[in-house]
Amino acid sequence: MRLSPDGQRLVHRTRYERDQVATAALFLTPALIVLGVFVFYPIIAAAQISLTSWNGFSPVKEFIGLDNYVRLAQDPEFWNSLMVTAIYAFGVCVLSVATGLIVALLLDAPLRGRGLYRGIYFLPAVTSSVAAAIVWKYMLDPAGFVNSVLAQAGINGPDWLQDRWLALGALTLLTVWKNIGFNAVLYLTAMQALPAGVFEAAHLDGANAWQRVRLITVPLLRPMTFFVVVQALITSFQAFDLVYMLTEGGPRGGTDVLGMFMYRQAFRLGDFGYGTAIAFVTLFLVLGVTLVQWRASGTGKDER
Protein backbone atom coordinates (compact mmCIF):
# COMPACT_ATOMS: atom_id res chain seq x y z
CA MET A 1 0.00 0.00 0.00
CA ARG A 2 1.08 3.62 -0.61
CA LEU A 3 0.02 6.86 1.06
CA SER A 4 -0.56 10.18 -0.69
CA PRO A 5 0.91 13.43 0.75
CA ASP A 6 -2.43 14.33 2.37
CA GLY A 7 -2.52 11.01 4.23
CA GLN A 8 -5.17 9.30 2.05
CA ARG A 9 -4.55 5.66 1.22
CA LEU A 10 -3.93 4.78 -2.43
CA VAL A 11 -4.48 1.36 -3.90
CA HIS A 12 -1.35 -0.37 -5.03
CA ARG A 13 -1.83 -1.02 -8.74
CA THR A 14 1.36 -2.86 -9.62
CA ARG A 15 -0.36 -6.19 -10.19
CA TYR A 16 -3.18 -4.54 -12.15
CA GLU A 17 -0.67 -2.75 -14.38
CA ARG A 18 1.21 -6.02 -14.97
CA ASP A 19 -2.04 -7.67 -16.05
CA GLN A 20 -2.64 -4.83 -18.50
CA VAL A 21 0.85 -5.19 -19.97
CA ALA A 22 0.42 -8.96 -20.29
CA THR A 23 -2.94 -8.55 -22.03
CA ALA A 24 -1.57 -5.93 -24.40
CA ALA A 25 1.44 -8.11 -25.21
CA LEU A 26 -0.86 -11.06 -25.93
CA PHE A 27 -2.87 -9.08 -28.47
CA LEU A 28 0.18 -7.40 -30.01
CA THR A 29 2.20 -10.58 -30.47
CA PRO A 30 0.51 -11.73 -33.75
CA ALA A 31 0.93 -8.28 -35.29
CA LEU A 32 4.56 -8.09 -34.17
CA ILE A 33 5.25 -11.51 -35.68
CA VAL A 34 3.77 -10.42 -39.01
CA LEU A 35 5.74 -7.16 -38.94
CA GLY A 36 8.91 -9.00 -38.03
CA VAL A 37 8.59 -11.55 -40.84
CA PHE A 38 7.29 -9.29 -43.62
CA VAL A 39 8.73 -5.87 -42.70
CA PHE A 40 11.67 -5.84 -40.29
CA TYR A 41 13.43 -8.96 -41.56
CA PRO A 42 13.29 -7.87 -45.25
CA ILE A 43 14.67 -4.46 -44.30
CA ILE A 44 17.56 -6.02 -42.38
CA ALA A 45 18.23 -8.52 -45.19
CA ALA A 46 18.15 -5.72 -47.78
CA ALA A 47 20.60 -3.68 -45.68
CA GLN A 48 22.99 -6.64 -45.74
CA ILE A 49 22.61 -7.04 -49.51
CA SER A 50 23.41 -3.35 -50.02
CA LEU A 51 26.83 -4.03 -48.52
CA THR A 52 27.61 -6.79 -51.01
CA SER A 53 28.28 -7.35 -54.69
CA TRP A 54 25.59 -9.80 -55.82
CA ASN A 55 23.97 -10.59 -59.15
CA GLY A 56 20.78 -11.99 -57.64
CA PHE A 57 21.51 -15.64 -58.48
CA SER A 58 24.94 -16.52 -57.14
CA PRO A 59 24.92 -18.34 -53.77
CA VAL A 60 27.91 -16.23 -52.76
CA LYS A 61 27.43 -12.60 -51.80
CA GLU A 62 30.80 -10.83 -51.78
CA PHE A 63 31.00 -8.35 -48.91
CA ILE A 64 32.29 -4.98 -50.12
CA GLY A 65 31.28 -2.71 -47.24
CA LEU A 66 30.19 0.80 -48.20
CA ASP A 67 31.58 0.61 -51.74
CA ASN A 68 28.08 0.69 -53.27
CA TYR A 69 27.28 3.92 -51.42
CA VAL A 70 30.62 5.48 -52.43
CA ARG A 71 29.95 4.48 -56.02
CA LEU A 72 26.47 5.97 -55.74
CA ALA A 73 27.86 9.32 -54.62
CA GLN A 74 30.13 9.38 -57.69
CA ASP A 75 27.51 8.22 -60.20
CA PRO A 76 26.22 11.03 -62.47
CA GLU A 77 23.19 8.91 -63.38
CA PHE A 78 22.18 8.83 -59.71
CA TRP A 79 22.43 12.61 -59.40
CA ASN A 80 20.36 13.01 -62.57
CA SER A 81 17.74 10.64 -61.15
CA LEU A 82 17.75 12.51 -57.85
CA MET A 83 17.24 15.85 -59.61
CA VAL A 84 14.45 14.43 -61.79
CA THR A 85 12.77 12.86 -58.76
CA ALA A 86 13.00 16.09 -56.76
CA ILE A 87 11.37 18.14 -59.55
CA TYR A 88 8.77 15.46 -60.11
CA ALA A 89 7.98 15.16 -56.39
CA PHE A 90 7.67 18.93 -56.00
CA GLY A 91 5.24 19.18 -58.88
CA VAL A 92 3.18 16.22 -57.68
CA CYS A 93 3.00 17.55 -54.10
CA VAL A 94 1.92 21.07 -55.10
CA LEU A 95 -0.63 19.93 -57.67
CA SER A 96 -1.97 17.15 -55.43
CA VAL A 97 -2.75 19.64 -52.66
CA ALA A 98 -4.25 22.20 -55.04
CA THR A 99 -6.39 19.84 -57.11
CA GLY A 100 -7.44 17.70 -54.15
CA LEU A 101 -8.61 20.72 -52.18
CA ILE A 102 -10.39 22.35 -55.12
CA VAL A 103 -12.22 19.15 -56.08
CA ALA A 104 -13.16 18.52 -52.43
CA LEU A 105 -14.62 22.03 -52.14
CA LEU A 106 -16.64 21.51 -55.31
CA LEU A 107 -17.89 18.09 -54.21
CA ASP A 108 -18.84 19.48 -50.79
CA ALA A 109 -21.14 22.05 -52.40
CA PRO A 110 -24.89 21.33 -52.50
CA LEU A 111 -25.00 20.06 -56.10
CA ARG A 112 -27.61 17.84 -57.71
CA GLY A 113 -26.10 14.42 -58.43
CA ARG A 114 -23.20 15.03 -56.07
CA GLY A 115 -22.74 11.31 -55.44
CA LEU A 116 -22.32 10.69 -59.18
CA TYR A 117 -19.66 13.39 -59.44
CA ARG A 118 -17.80 11.91 -56.49
CA GLY A 119 -17.76 8.52 -58.17
CA ILE A 120 -16.50 10.01 -61.45
CA TYR A 121 -13.64 11.85 -59.76
CA PHE A 122 -12.64 8.71 -57.86
CA LEU A 123 -12.51 6.51 -60.99
CA PRO A 124 -8.83 7.26 -61.80
CA ALA A 125 -7.80 6.04 -58.34
CA VAL A 126 -9.23 2.57 -59.02
CA THR A 127 -8.07 2.42 -62.63
CA SER A 128 -5.10 0.19 -63.41
CA SER A 129 -1.89 2.22 -63.51
CA VAL A 130 -0.69 0.26 -66.54
CA ALA A 131 -3.93 0.88 -68.44
CA ALA A 132 -3.93 4.58 -67.54
CA ALA A 133 -0.31 5.02 -68.66
CA ILE A 134 -0.97 3.24 -71.98
CA VAL A 135 -3.99 5.45 -72.69
CA TRP A 136 -2.02 8.60 -71.89
CA LYS A 137 0.85 7.38 -74.07
CA TYR A 138 -1.47 7.03 -77.06
CA MET A 139 -3.11 10.39 -76.30
CA LEU A 140 0.30 12.12 -76.25
CA ASP A 141 1.53 10.46 -79.43
CA PRO A 142 2.37 12.93 -82.23
CA ALA A 143 -0.72 11.66 -84.08
CA GLY A 144 -2.74 11.20 -80.89
CA PHE A 145 -5.79 12.86 -79.39
CA VAL A 146 -4.02 15.84 -77.79
CA ASN A 147 -2.24 16.96 -80.95
CA SER A 148 -5.44 16.38 -82.96
CA VAL A 149 -7.29 18.80 -80.69
CA LEU A 150 -4.43 21.31 -80.97
CA ALA A 151 -4.48 20.95 -84.77
CA GLN A 152 -8.17 21.88 -84.79
CA ALA A 153 -7.15 25.13 -83.09
CA GLY A 154 -4.38 25.73 -85.63
CA ILE A 155 -1.56 24.75 -83.26
CA ASN A 156 1.18 22.35 -84.31
CA GLY A 157 1.52 20.04 -81.30
CA PRO A 158 4.95 18.83 -80.18
CA ASP A 159 6.18 15.28 -79.69
CA TRP A 160 5.32 15.28 -76.00
CA LEU A 161 7.22 12.21 -74.87
CA GLN A 162 10.40 12.95 -76.83
CA ASP A 163 11.13 16.25 -75.09
CA ARG A 164 12.79 16.00 -71.67
CA TRP A 165 10.72 18.61 -69.87
CA LEU A 166 7.44 17.97 -71.67
CA ALA A 167 7.71 14.26 -70.83
CA LEU A 168 8.38 15.05 -67.17
CA GLY A 169 5.42 17.44 -67.12
CA ALA A 170 3.18 14.80 -68.71
CA LEU A 171 4.31 12.25 -66.12
CA THR A 172 3.57 14.71 -63.32
CA LEU A 173 0.08 15.44 -64.64
CA LEU A 174 -0.61 11.72 -65.09
CA THR A 175 0.37 11.02 -61.48
CA VAL A 176 -1.76 13.89 -60.16
CA TRP A 177 -4.74 12.81 -62.29
CA LYS A 178 -4.36 9.22 -61.10
CA ASN A 179 -4.55 10.27 -57.42
CA ILE A 180 -6.90 13.24 -57.60
CA GLY A 181 -9.91 11.25 -56.40
CA PHE A 182 -8.04 9.79 -53.44
CA ASN A 183 -6.77 13.22 -52.36
CA ALA A 184 -10.23 14.74 -52.78
CA VAL A 185 -11.74 12.04 -50.57
CA LEU A 186 -9.13 12.75 -47.89
CA TYR A 187 -9.90 16.46 -47.93
CA LEU A 188 -13.65 15.83 -48.11
CA THR A 189 -13.48 13.57 -45.06
CA ALA A 190 -11.54 16.20 -43.12
CA MET A 191 -13.95 18.95 -44.15
CA GLN A 192 -16.91 16.97 -42.84
CA ALA A 193 -15.30 17.03 -39.38
CA LEU A 194 -14.77 20.81 -39.27
CA PRO A 195 -16.93 22.67 -36.71
CA ALA A 196 -19.93 24.21 -38.45
CA GLY A 197 -20.27 26.89 -35.77
CA VAL A 198 -17.04 28.56 -36.86
CA PHE A 199 -18.32 29.01 -40.41
CA GLU A 200 -21.69 30.25 -39.20
CA ALA A 201 -20.01 32.84 -37.00
CA ALA A 202 -17.79 33.98 -39.87
CA HIS A 203 -20.83 34.27 -42.14
CA LEU A 204 -22.64 36.42 -39.56
CA ASP A 205 -19.53 38.62 -39.31
CA GLY A 206 -19.76 39.31 -43.04
CA ALA A 207 -17.09 36.94 -44.40
CA ASN A 208 -17.80 35.85 -47.97
CA ALA A 209 -17.28 32.32 -49.30
CA TRP A 210 -13.72 32.96 -50.49
CA GLN A 211 -12.71 34.49 -47.15
CA ARG A 212 -14.18 31.54 -45.25
CA VAL A 213 -12.20 29.13 -47.40
CA ARG A 214 -8.95 31.09 -47.21
CA LEU A 215 -9.06 32.11 -43.55
CA ILE A 216 -10.88 29.17 -41.95
CA THR A 217 -11.04 26.04 -44.13
CA VAL A 218 -7.44 26.00 -45.37
CA PRO A 219 -5.82 26.63 -41.93
CA LEU A 220 -8.05 24.02 -40.24
CA LEU A 221 -7.12 21.47 -42.91
CA ARG A 222 -3.40 21.85 -42.23
CA PRO A 223 -2.98 18.36 -40.68
CA MET A 224 -4.69 16.77 -43.68
CA THR A 225 -2.59 18.86 -46.05
CA PHE A 226 0.51 17.51 -44.35
CA PHE A 227 -0.77 13.96 -44.84
CA VAL A 228 -1.56 14.60 -48.52
CA VAL A 229 1.95 16.02 -49.05
CA VAL A 230 3.56 13.00 -47.39
CA GLN A 231 1.44 10.64 -49.48
CA ALA A 232 2.38 12.50 -52.67
CA LEU A 233 6.02 12.49 -51.65
CA ILE A 234 6.06 8.74 -51.06
CA THR A 235 4.21 8.15 -54.32
CA SER A 236 6.77 10.23 -56.21
CA PHE A 237 9.82 8.52 -54.72
CA GLN A 238 8.30 5.07 -55.27
CA ALA A 239 7.10 5.82 -58.81
CA PHE A 240 7.84 3.04 -61.27
CA ASP A 241 4.82 1.57 -63.07
CA LEU A 242 3.62 4.84 -64.59
CA VAL A 243 7.16 5.81 -65.59
CA TYR A 244 7.93 2.39 -67.07
CA MET A 245 4.79 2.29 -69.19
CA LEU A 246 4.83 5.95 -70.26
CA THR A 247 8.49 6.73 -71.00
CA GLU A 248 10.75 3.98 -69.56
CA GLY A 249 12.84 6.77 -68.05
CA GLY A 250 13.42 8.63 -71.31
CA PRO A 251 13.98 10.69 -73.24
CA ARG A 252 17.69 10.87 -72.39
CA GLY A 253 17.03 10.32 -68.69
CA GLY A 254 14.44 13.09 -68.52
CA THR A 255 12.01 10.96 -66.50
CA ASP A 256 14.54 8.57 -64.99
CA VAL A 257 13.23 8.75 -61.41
CA LEU A 258 14.94 6.84 -58.60
CA GLY A 259 12.54 3.91 -58.84
CA MET A 260 13.34 3.46 -62.53
CA PHE A 261 17.06 3.87 -61.91
CA MET A 262 16.95 1.24 -59.16
CA TYR A 263 15.01 -1.20 -61.36
CA ARG A 264 17.48 -0.81 -64.22
CA GLN A 265 20.53 -1.39 -62.03
CA ALA A 266 19.08 -4.38 -60.16
CA PHE A 267 16.95 -6.23 -62.70
CA ARG A 268 18.36 -5.25 -66.07
CA LEU A 269 22.05 -5.02 -65.21
CA GLY A 270 21.93 -7.66 -62.47
CA ASP A 271 23.64 -5.54 -59.80
CA PHE A 272 21.36 -6.22 -56.84
CA GLY A 273 23.78 -4.87 -54.26
CA TYR A 274 23.94 -1.50 -55.99
CA GLY A 275 20.18 -1.49 -56.63
CA THR A 276 19.48 -2.16 -52.96
CA ALA A 277 21.80 0.67 -51.97
CA ILE A 278 19.75 2.97 -54.19
CA ALA A 279 16.59 1.76 -52.45
CA PHE A 280 18.04 2.54 -49.01
CA VAL A 281 19.16 6.01 -50.05
CA THR A 282 15.64 6.63 -51.37
CA LEU A 283 14.18 5.45 -48.07
CA PHE A 284 16.36 7.82 -46.03
CA LEU A 285 15.61 10.71 -48.39
CA VAL A 286 11.86 10.21 -47.94
CA LEU A 287 12.23 9.97 -44.16
CA GLY A 288 14.41 13.09 -44.06
CA VAL A 289 12.13 15.21 -46.24
CA THR A 290 9.07 14.04 -44.29
CA LEU A 291 10.72 14.96 -40.99
CA VAL A 292 11.64 18.42 -42.29
CA GLN A 293 8.09 18.94 -43.56
CA TRP A 294 6.67 17.74 -40.24
CA ARG A 295 8.82 20.15 -38.25
CA ALA A 296 8.21 23.05 -40.63
CA SER A 297 4.43 22.60 -40.66
CA GLY A 298 4.25 22.37 -36.88
CA THR A 299 2.08 19.24 -37.10
CA GLY A 300 1.96 17.39 -33.81
CA LYS A 301 2.76 20.40 -31.67
CA ASP A 302 0.47 21.45 -28.89
CA GLU A 303 -1.32 24.68 -29.76
CA ARG A 304 -1.77 26.83 -26.71
Side-chain angles (χ1 to χ4, degrees):
M1 306 293 288
R2 291 181 298 179
L3 296 178
S4 63
D6 59 358
Q8 294 180 347
R9 182 174 297 181
L10 298 178
V11 180
H12 196 286
R13 298 184 299 173
T14 303
R15 183 175 179 179
Y16 177 70
E17 291 172 353
R18 288 177 180 174
D19 291 341
Q20 282 187 320
V21 172
T23 303
L26 179 63
F27 283 101
L28 288 174
T29 297
L32 291 176
I33 292 175
V34 173
L35 286 174
V37 173
F38 295 102
V39 178
F40 299 131
Y41 172 73
I43 290 176
I44 295 172
Q48 294 175 341
I49 293 175
S50 71
L51 303 176
T52 65
S53 177
W54 185 46
N55 61 9
F57 299 97
S58 174
V60 179
K61 301 181 181 70
E62 180 186 356
F63 180 79
I64 59 174
L66 298 176
D67 287 359
N68 283 327
Y69 294 94
V70 174
R71 173 186 167 189
L72 197 62
Q74 301 172 348
D75 191 345
E77 289 189 33
F78 166 73
W79 292 108
N80 173 72
S81 293
L82 183 60
M83 180 194 69
V84 170
T85 304
I87 297 173
Y88 171 61
F90 178 78
V92 170
C93 289
V94 172
L95 293 178
S96 293
V97 171
T99 57
L101 182 57
I102 291 173
V103 171
L105 290 171
L106 293 176
L107 294 180
D108 193 47
L111 300 174
R112 178 177 297 179
R114 184 169 55 180
L116 176 62
Y117 293 134
R118 290 179 178 179
I120 293 174
Y121 275 106
F122 196 73
L123 278 177
V126 297
T127 303
S128 168
S129 297
V130 174
I134 291 175
V135 171
W136 274 62
K137 187 172 184 177
Y138 279 110
M139 288 174 57
L140 295 172
D141 187 82
F145 174 76
V146 175
N147 281 356
S148 298
V149 173
L150 293 176
Q152 296 293 328
I155 302 175
N156 186 21
D159 192 347
W160 297 93
L161 300 182
Q162 294 304 316
D163 180 272
R164 178 184 181 95
W165 298 109
L166 289 178
L168 185 58
L171 177 62
T172 302
L173 292 178
L174 171 58
T175 306
V176 173
W177 171 83
K178 184 74 174 61
N179 296 290
I180 188 172
F182 179 72
N183 295 328
V185 168
L186 291 176
Y187 272 120
L188 195 59
T189 303
M191 289 168 60
Q192 301 298 324
L194 296 181
V198 177
F199 295 92
E200 293 174 0
H203 180 68
L204 293 175
D205 287 339
N208 57 36
W210 166 244
Q211 290 174 328
R212 293 196 297 271
V213 170
R214 182 170 59 90
L215 300 176
I216 300 177
T217 303
V218 173
L220 289 178
L221 290 177
R222 187 175 63 179
M224 183 54 70
T225 298
F226 170 74
F227 181 75
V228 171
V229 169
V230 171
Q231 285 287 108
L233 187 67
I234 295 174
T235 299
S236 302
F237 274 82
Q238 290 183 338
F240 171 74
D241 48 359
L242 293 177
V243 183
Y244 183 81
M245 295 306 303
L246 189 67
T247 62
E248 293 192 36
R252 298 174 298 280
T255 59
D256 193 24
V257 294
L258 287 171
M260 193 69 202
F261 180 51
M262 176 184 63
Y263 164 79
R264 185 171 63 254
Q265 295 296 326
F267 293 96
R268 287 190 175 178
L269 302 180
D271 196 345
F272 277 80
Y274 191 49
T276 308
I278 298 169
F280 263 85
V281 170
T282 304
L283 171 64
F284 289 122
L285 285 173
V286 173
L287 291 176
V289 174
T290 303
L291 179 60
V292 171
Q293 172 67 17
W294 181 70
R295 296 295 298 272
S297 65
T299 303
K301 294 182 179 179
D302 295 331
E303 296 183 1
R304 300 178 180 177

